[in-house]
Amino acid sequence: GPIDSGITHSRVMKQFSNYPRQIIPPGCIVLTQGIDIKKLSLHWVVRAWMPDGSGYVIDYGVQEVLGTRAGVEEGVELAIKKAVLQRWEEFQATEYRFPSTGDEPGGQIPREKTMTLIDARYKTDAVKDACREIGIGIFPVEGCGKSRGCGKPTFNAEKKKHILDRLTAAEGLSAFCTPNTSARSASRWKAANP
């Protein structure tokens, strides 16, 4: 709940852009999709990111994993893989756009400036198989928190420093950001989170 996780209504609302769903706020340069895998459903969110690393939730939802039942493990791997493939197709088919100007529809962020990160802690093989099948643009990741919430970090200061150093030196971010954005954002994050 909110007390255990630190998630409150006001914290969630601050992440929204005040634009309708699927509309990208002006100035954003990258779209990311995050997917959390559960046995019976996928929870997903699409965020639009500014060059300074600030972001906005522009779409979200829960997708049922068809063919799974509570208490039954048979067929779960295949059902999860199919659900991930379906969610990917829906993400690719959705037209996330900048606001319209006059009679002209708003433009889009090029698909090469999008990325999907998918939780691979549950049914890792199924998630990785789906990612391999999809190819470029989707990556399995393993979080470092506990499923009980994000209110209390589960790593110490030394691990945090290591993670921040890796963020600063991360390869591949330059493909999604303007020059020096990743280093600048990591430095700002370090200063705000000593």
Side-chain angles (χ1 to χ4, degrees):
I3 294 172
D4 294 339
S5 68
I7 297 173
T8 64
H9 176 74
S10 62
R11 284 182 85 179
V12 171
M13 294 309 295
K14 286 179 184 177
Q15 298 298 308
F16 286 88
S17 66
N18 293 325
Y19 284 94
R21 283 177 80 161
Q22 302 177 355
I23 299 297
I24 304 166
C28 290
I29 59 169
V30 176
L31 288 182
T32 60
Q33 174 180 224
I35 304 173
D36 188 24
I37 304 291
K38 308 281 185 208
K39 181 177 183 177
L40 303 175
S41 60
L42 307 181
H43 295 249
W44 56 272
V45 62
V46 177
R47 293 180 60 100
W49 297 92
M50 301 291 279
D52 68 359
S54 58
Y56 302 96
V57 172
I58 63 168
D59 205 3
Y60 58 92
V62 178
Q63 175 183 319
E64 185 180 359
V65 176
L66 300 174
T68 59
R69 295 188 324 249
V72 178
E73 289 300 311
E74 184 178 336
V76 172
E77 297 260 344
L78 181 59
I80 286 176
K81 180 179 176 182
K82 286 180 178 180
V84 169
L85 295 173
Q86 178 186 358
R87 178 66 215 136
W88 175 259
E89 289 175 12
E90 290 173 9
F91 175 62
Q92 293 298 309
T94 302
E95 291 191 5
Y96 296 105
R97 296 192 163 279
F98 289 101
S100 300
T101 54
D103 294 335
E104 295 295 316
Q108 294 180 285
I109 290 178
R111 284 298 170 174
E112 62 269 12
K113 296 279 188 174
T114 65
M115 177 173 42
T116 294
L117 302 175
I118 182 167
D119 178 19
R121 283 215 178 237
Y122 178 69
K123 300 299 181 186
T124 303
D125 291 340
V127 171
K128 289 182 177 180
D129 285 349
C131 290
R132 274 191 290 276
E133 189 170 318
I134 292 166
I136 295 173
I138 187 167
F139 304 94
V141 296
E142 292 187 16
C144 60
K146 293 183 179 179
S147 62
R148 294 184 67 180
C150 64
K152 296 179 183 176
T154 58
F155 50 91
N156 61 32
E158 187 56 37
K159 280 188 181 178
K160 181 177 174 181
K161 180 184 179 318
H162 177 70
I163 290 168
L164 290 173
D165 290 343
R166 285 180 44 204
L167 280 174
T168 304
E171 294 181 34
L173 281 180
S174 61
F176 294 97
C177 303
T178 58
N180 300 319
T181 299
S182 60
R184 188 171 58 244
S185 296
S187 296
R188 286 181 39 202
W189 199 84
K190 283 181 188 180
N193 297 281

